[in-house]
Amino acid sequence: MKKIAISFSFLLFSAAAVTAADDPIAVRQALMQANAASAGAASAMLKGEMDYNPVVAKAAIATFHSTAEAMGDFFPEGSNVGETRAAPAIWENPDAFRETLAKFRTDAAAAVEASGRDGPADLEAFRLAVMPVLSNCSACHENFRLEDD
C-alpha cells in the first residue's frame, strides 16, 4: 500500500513536470487534481467513511506539501487567459496571493513534520495535522478561484 501511494504521488508530479514549460494552466490543474484526490481521501478518513490508514494519510499530506511548494511557480503573467478557474485577484493582488501560498506552505510543512516517518499515529493525530492544511484550500478557493458557471 505504501509503495502504491508513493508511486501515485510521484506519477502525478511527474506528469506535471513534463508539461510545466509549455502549459502552466495544465500544471495548475494537475496539481489541483492531486490535491482534490488527497482531500477526498483525507475527508473520507476524517468522516469515518474509510478506515484510517497512516500510509494514505502520509501520502495525502505529502501531496499537499508538494503542491504547496510548487504551486506559486505556475501563475506567470498571461496565464490568466484560457481554460482556467484562476481568479483575476491572483494578478490584481499578487501580495495577498503570495501570503496565502506562504501560509499553505507553512501549514503543509508542519503537517509533514507532525506526521513523522510512518504517518500520523492515529486519526486524531491526522486530524490535528491536516485540518490547518485543508483550511488553506478553502481560503484560497474563496479568494482566488472562479466558481463553475
Side-chain angles (χ1 to χ4, degrees):
M1 181 68 149
K2 186 175 184 177
K3 288 182 181 181
I4 292 170
I6 292 169
S7 296
F8 176 70
S9 295
F10 179 74
L11 177 63
L12 288 172
F13 288 103
S14 295
V18 169
T19 60
D22 298 329
D23 191 351
I25 293 172
V27 174
R28 293 193 309 247
Q29 291 169 344
L31 290 170
M32 288 297 96
Q33 288 170 355
N35 259 16
S38 293
S43 178
M45 287 188 289
L46 293 170
K47 291 177 182 177
E49 297 168 353
M50 180 173 119
D51 289 341
Y52 176 71
N53 182 313
V55 174
V56 174
K58 177 85 173 174
I61 288 170
T63 299
F64 292 134
H65 183 250
S66 297
T67 299
E69 290 296 319
M71 191 55 128
D73 294 335
F74 299 103
F75 292 89
E77 286 296 325
S79 69
N80 57 329
V81 294
E83 203 168 312
T84 181
R85 290 173 41 193
I90 292 169
W91 294 273
E92 293 167 357
N93 193 352
D95 291 338
F97 183 63
R98 282 191 290 274
E99 287 175 21
T100 300
L101 286 176
K103 185 170 180 342
F104 182 34
R105 278 192 301 277
T106 299
D107 290 345
V112 167
E113 184 70 27
S115 70
R117 182 176 172 262
D118 298 322
D122 56 30
L123 183 61
E124 187 56 29
F126 178 58
R127 181 184 322 279
L128 291 172
V130 80
M131 288 306 291
V133 176
L134 292 173
S135 71
N136 285 287
C137 298
S138 297
C140 191
H141 284 202
E142 287 173 13
N143 297 307
F144 300 107
R145 183 183 84 166
L146 299 174
E147 293 299 316
D148 290 331
D149 293 334

